[in-house]
Amino acid sequence: MQVRRNVSLCLCIVAIAWITRLAAAPSSEPVKYHFNIDSQPLGMALQQFAGQSGVQIIFFSQVTEGLQAPALHGAYTIPSALEILLSGSHLIFRVINSKTIEISSPIARDSGIFSIRPLRSASGN
């Protein structure tokens, strides 16, 4: 009887430890953000993207002149959302760190001749 109780207790402890570990395990799913950005000039769309994602977007202001961004509505990962916003343009993006992304022209990027300006998210980060 005592052995049965000890085995049951051990099984309960192992089950609790296993469940706790599963709950604490990092998700392998990429984080998705909800975006509500209408079609508009690309520079303005990137500002809204920064505000809605909390990610700082930096770019040379002239690279977005005359470019129109498509609408972006729904839940997307950061890379997927940027691919949509930049589609139809000649621009590329590069992740600098977890909170900063650079938008540039592939030509300017190769030449090393461009300057950037930061766009802050609505929260000021």
Side-chain angles (χ1 to χ4, degrees):
M1 187 74 153
Q2 182 66 26
V3 172
R4 189 177 280 177
R5 231 182 246 167
N6 287 343
V7 169
S8 294
L9 180 61
C10 285
L11 288 175
C12 286
I13 291 171
V14 169
I16 290 170
W18 184 70
I19 290 170
T20 305
R21 191 169 196 187
L22 280 179
S27 173
S28 61
E29 296 270 331
V31 176
K32 290 187 177 182
Y33 298 84
H34 184 76
F35 294 100
N36 188 19
I37 301 172
D38 292 327
S39 179
Q40 59 189 298
L42 183 56
M44 292 173 59
L46 290 171
Q47 288 177 3
Q48 285 190 351
F49 174 88
Q52 293 178 25
S53 67
V55 174
Q56 184 179 35
I57 304 294
I58 55 175
F59 61 93
F60 182 51
S61 60
Q62 291 179 338
V63 300
T64 61
E65 279 183 15
L67 297 176
Q68 187 76 9
L72 181 68
H73 298 285
Y76 297 91
T77 62
I78 296 288
S80 296
L82 282 172
E83 286 175 11
I84 293 168
L85 287 176
L86 298 176
S87 65
S89 76
H90 57 284
L91 303 178
I92 60 172
F93 69 92
R94 179 177 69 101
V95 176
I96 294 174
N97 60 45
S98 64
K99 288 292 185 186
T100 309
I101 296 174
E102 169 191 43
I103 307 294
S104 67
S105 165
I107 296 167
R109 179 124 177 86
D110 291 340
S111 70
I113 305 173
F114 69 98
S115 61
I116 53 178
R117 70 175 179 144
L119 287 179
R120 300 221 178 255
S121 67
S123 63
N125 293 332

